[in-house]
Amino acid sequence: MRRMPPEERRDELIAAAIRVIARRGVAAATTRAITAEAGMPLGAFTYIFGTQDELMTAVIDTVIAQERFAAESRAIDPTSLTAAIRSGLEGYIDMLEHDPADEIALLELALVARRRDPQGQMRAQWRTYYDAAEQMLAYAAEITGNRWTAPLSDLARHLVVIADGITTTWLADGDSDAARRTASFAAAALAAASAPLEAPTEGSPHADGDR
């Protein structure tokens, strides 16, 4: 086996764990199976990770970081709020098509975590999604000159639910065209809870059209 720095070994083990989990489930992701998938001796695991739980946490953190990077690096369409949200969701669909194993692994790990500790890792994982969705929606409103007329936290939760639905349905049927139609519908629905920055707010002297 070629020598590689610890960080590279760490990345290889994480990638191997994702592949094993996606193919065979969390129960099959033993240290022996993961190191074999990575083409490393068993001792390499304990050298990099203290426990299997540490590796599983690293898998979750890595996939979420990759999702965030992909979302941030994709050009968001600033022509309208609907277009901005739609382009963000379509970027996620592109990522899902390219590497569905990442999302399968996240779902597997989340469900196992939920069974072990209902108030623990899965809730923290989704809190990360809510935070990312809030940031995305705030940015979309900013670049299109709009403001949200509903609580941003509620809208972020709606967006996460939409993304979850797109994910599981696409994993079931692989219909990317339908997923993009869902993204377009959802973008328009979310954008309906907005107004141009210069529009009067409810209760202001100019809120009524006949004033």
Side-chain angles (χ1 to χ4, degrees):
M1 184 186 72
R2 68 183 179 86
R3 295 183 63 84
M4 63 177 71
E7 276 303 308
E8 189 174 344
R9 285 193 183 190
R10 183 180 186 276
D11 293 344
E12 291 279 352
L13 287 168
I14 291 171
I18 290 171
R19 293 194 298 271
V20 172
I21 293 168
R23 285 201 310 267
R24 299 164 56 194
V26 175
T30 62
T31 55
R32 189 176 299 278
I34 292 167
T35 51
E37 177 74 21
M40 297 181 190
L42 192 58
F45 181 92
T46 53
Y47 175 70
I48 301 298
F49 293 100
T51 66
Q52 193 175 26
D53 282 347
E54 287 183 22
L55 171 60
M56 296 307 163
T57 298
V59 167
I60 293 170
D61 291 344
T62 297
V63 176
I64 291 174
Q66 289 172 349
E67 289 177 344
R68 179 165 293 187
F69 175 79
E72 291 174 350
S73 62
R74 180 182 172 89
I76 300 296
D77 187 344
T79 56
S80 70
L81 189 52
T82 298
I85 299 170
R86 183 179 63 245
S87 61
L89 285 170
E90 288 180 344
Y92 174 75
I93 294 167
D94 289 343
M95 184 178 62
L96 180 61
E97 289 176 311
H98 181 261
D99 202 350
D102 285 359
E103 300 308 316
I104 294 171
L106 276 184
L107 287 171
E108 286 270 359
L109 288 167
L111 292 174
V112 169
R114 178 64 176 77
R115 286 192 289 270
R116 289 179 180 172
D117 180 8
Q119 305 300 319
Q121 179 63 51
M122 188 176 186
R123 178 169 291 192
Q125 186 175 332
W126 257 252
R127 181 67 260 171
T128 301
Y129 298 158
Y130 298 149
D131 290 344
E134 282 197 31
Q135 292 172 20
M136 184 270 187
L137 290 172
Y139 177 65
E142 178 185 349
I143 65 171
T144 58
N146 287 279
R147 58 178 173 81
W148 294 108
T149 57
L152 189 56
S153 59
D154 289 351
L155 296 171
R157 184 182 179 89
H158 296 335
L159 181 57
V160 170
V161 171
I162 291 161
D164 284 345
I166 287 173
T167 301
T168 53
T169 305
W170 186 90
L171 289 173
D173 63 21
D175 191 336
S176 296
D177 289 339
R180 288 183 168 80
R181 291 196 298 273
T182 299
S184 181
F185 176 86
L190 285 167
S194 69
L197 280 174
E198 65 273 12
T201 59
E202 185 177 352
S204 68
H206 302 290
D208 296 331
D210 58 349
R211 292 188 180 182

